Amino acid sequence: MSPRVYTGHCFCFPYLPDGNPHELEKHLRTSLDALTRRIPVLRHVIKPDPDHPDKVCLVPSDNDTPAIPLKVSDERHSFGWTYRQLKSQGFPAKAFVGNSFEFPPSLPAADRGVPMFGVDAKLIDGGLLLINRLHHSVADGVGRTLITNAFASLTRDPSQVLADAPPLDINADLAPDVGPDLPAADLLAQCPEYRLLDAPYGPTIPYLGPPGPPFASIRRTGRIFVVAPHALAQLRQQLAGTNGAKPPSSFTSLAALTWAHVTKARLAAIQDAATAAAANSDAN
């Protein structure tokens, strides 16, 4: 049900100009080993289910291969930006686009499985870029936050004992006849805005009804949006309201903003299509 892709975060830190890459790699590996003890499921890899090509499964990783791959590279003389330049320009998105930021494994071609979680560390002039990637079929934003927070804590002290993580279960207001054993097709039948693809290409996609344009005809253009810290703080406060409620997280606030504008655009497109159809009908 989730895209077969990795979602990534790149954290930028100031770093000693004479930092030792080997010491950095040793410290990060110790932290990641502690992370797999804290979250044992990260010791698994993702493989296509041999009996169901439209599904994936988790299998234990080989003992000879670290469950969480780590790559440390010294790019202090090759990366196109210094930490000072990145910071002075607000860490522009264009600095973090390119082949060096891609995560190579692709699920369909990986016979031995692909990692659930991976980390790259790039030493740049005056800074450190710490990149982590999590496979979307394993967790969403909430799970990613739990893993990232645990990893961050363990990099400060790999020997510490972390508090128990909050449960990932949610209380859903489902009808009594909707149980965990209900077939996926029956569950999807109750969600008319989604449909299951005929081939195992990953996610379900939004269902576009007759009023909407054919999906293949929609021009798709990528965009990167940068939200300034003060604008994000203002958005969180607006969503909290004036009754003293705690502001929602940055993740929740940006998700709400995105869904609000996507819904507005979809409704406008449907209205335009309906108006055009009515005009054609009158003309005929």
Side-chain angles (χ1 to χ4, degrees):
M1 297 294 289
S2 298
R4 295 186 178 188
V5 295
Y6 287 89
T7 60
H9 284 169
C10 181
F11 298 92
C12 308
F13 303 100
Y15 202 74
L16 296 174
D18 57 349
N20 188 320
H22 301 291
E23 291 298 323
L24 173 64
E25 182 173 6
K26 180 180 178 181
H27 176 72
L28 290 177
R29 173 51 62 196
T30 301
S31 303
L32 290 174
D33 290 344
L35 182 64
T36 59
R37 292 192 295 271
R38 177 67 179 82
I39 308 177
V41 70
L42 293 178
R43 299 174 184 168
H44 293 69
V45 296
I46 308 169
K47 296 184 65 174
D49 189 326
D51 299 323
H52 303 88
D54 58 336
K55 297 180 180 180
V56 296
C57 58
L58 299 179
V59 298
S61 61
D62 296 336
N63 293 330
D64 297 334
T65 305
I68 300 179
L70 169 64
K71 178 182 178 182
V72 177
S73 55
D74 188 346
E75 302 184 19
R76 283 174 282 197
H77 301 292
S78 58
F79 193 70
W81 300 71
T82 67
Y83 179 82
R84 179 177 294 182
Q85 290 172 333
L86 291 173
K87 184 177 180 180
S88 66
Q89 298 188 34
F91 300 97
K94 62 183 178 181
F96 306 97
V97 178
N99 294 335
S100 65
F101 290 93
E102 294 181 358
F103 202 48
S106 59
L107 185 57
D111 296 332
R112 300 181 59 184
V114 296
M116 297 172 55
F117 188 65
V119 174
D120 285 357
K122 299 178 181 291
L123 279 173
I124 64 173
D125 186 358
L128 169 66
L129 307 183
L130 189 61
I131 309 163
N132 66 62
R133 300 176 177 87
L134 180 68
H135 204 280
H136 202 307
S137 65
V138 177
D140 58 7
V142 176
R144 159 174 281 285
T145 298
L146 293 176
I147 295 172
T148 302
N149 287 345
F151 179 41
S153 297
L154 291 169
T155 57
R156 290 188 285 270
D157 180 7
S159 64
Q160 67 175 300
V161 178
L162 300 180
D164 290 338
L168 294 180
D169 297 334
I170 61 173
N171 294 322
D173 185 18
L174 298 176
D177 58 341
V178 178
D181 297 329
L182 194 66
D186 294 342
L187 286 173
L188 285 172
Q190 302 184 39
C191 303
E193 70 274 22
Y194 286 92
R195 64 185 175 91
L196 191 63
L197 297 177
D198 296 330
Y201 294 133
T204 56
I205 62 173
Y207 173 73
L208 301 177
F215 189 76
S217 69
I218 298 176
R219 181 182 177 185
R220 294 175 289 281
T221 304
R223 290 289 186 270
I224 296 177
F225 297 90
V226 178
V227 182
H230 70 274
L232 181 56
Q234 184 180 20
L235 172 64
R236 294 180 63 200
Q237 193 57 51
Q238 289 176 340
L239 292 175
T242 58
N243 58 357
K246 180 181 178 181
S249 67
S250 298
F251 175 83
T252 300
S253 300
L254 291 176
L257 181 66
T258 301
W259 277 109
H261 284 278
V262 168
T263 301
K264 181 179 180 181
R266 290 182 64 186
L267 291 176
I270 292 174
Q271 180 62 42
D272 291 344
T275 301
N280 291 336
S281 177
D282 293 340
N284 295 331

